């Protein structure tokens, strides 16, 4: 199955493109096998990722990736050129927990750490978050674990740095 379409937004810059990633689908929760991320073209075959991935593991906002363009003009990621230092975390509120299905409540709980992100949809309130390199990583990890333990949310960390692992 293909990826859900990211909302079409006007390019912020003339060199804004969508770079597509392929992966093994997660049949248990989202059966997609591709995801398109907005990126700023930096060269003929490199781009900087401009938004947080909902599905693709191992990549974070701000990273530079290699891509190839197929015969249909679609840009497919082929590897990473440079890390951004950011991490990617996905949080799904527990429907019958204290936050209900409220993605905004997830953002509010984590706002003090300077995390930014996007919500998949109202029907599936998965929140994909960028954890900036300068954030209080120990504090973020502690709050994520507390929220899980207290039934606020489920979470997964899909792109980490050495600083995250050490925190």
């Amino acid at each position: 199955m293909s990826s859900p379409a990211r909302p079409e937004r006007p390019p912020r810059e003339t060199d804004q493109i969508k770079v597509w990633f392929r992966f093994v689908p997660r049949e248990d929760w989202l059966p997609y096998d591709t995801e398109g991320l907005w990126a700023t073209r930096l060269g003929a075959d490199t781009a900087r990722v401009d938004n947080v991935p909902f599905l693709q593991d191992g990549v974070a906002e701000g990273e530079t990736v290699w891509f190839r363009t197929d015969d249909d003009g679609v840009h497919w990621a082929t590897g990473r050129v440079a890390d951004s230092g950011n991490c990617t975390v996905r949080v799904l509120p527990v429907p019958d927990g204290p936050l209900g299905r409220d993605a905004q409540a997830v953002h509010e709980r984590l706002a003090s750490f300077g995390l930014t992100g996007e919500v998949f949809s109202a029907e599936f309130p998965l929140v994909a978050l960028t954890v900036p390199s300068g954030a209080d990583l120990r504090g973020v990890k502690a709050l994520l674990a507390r929220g899980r333990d207290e039934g606020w949310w489920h979470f997964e960390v899909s792109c980490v740095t050495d600083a995250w692992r050490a925190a």
Side-chain angles (χ1 to χ4, degrees), residues 132-145:
S133 59
D136 173 6
L137 301 179
R138 190 166 303 192
V140 171
K141 289 171 76 170
L143 184 56
L144 287 169

Side-chain angles (χ1 to χ4, degrees), residues 4-9 15-21 35-41 47 51 67-68 73-77:
R6 282 223 180 240
E8 292 302 320
R9 60 180 173 183
D15 51 359
Q16 189 102 63
I17 61 173
K18 195 172 277 192
V19 175
W20 289 87
F21 293 79
E35 179 174 20
L37 299 176
W38 288 108
T40 300
R41 183 189 290 267
N51 63 303
F67 67 86
R68 69 169 179 76
V74 178
H75 309 297
W76 291 99

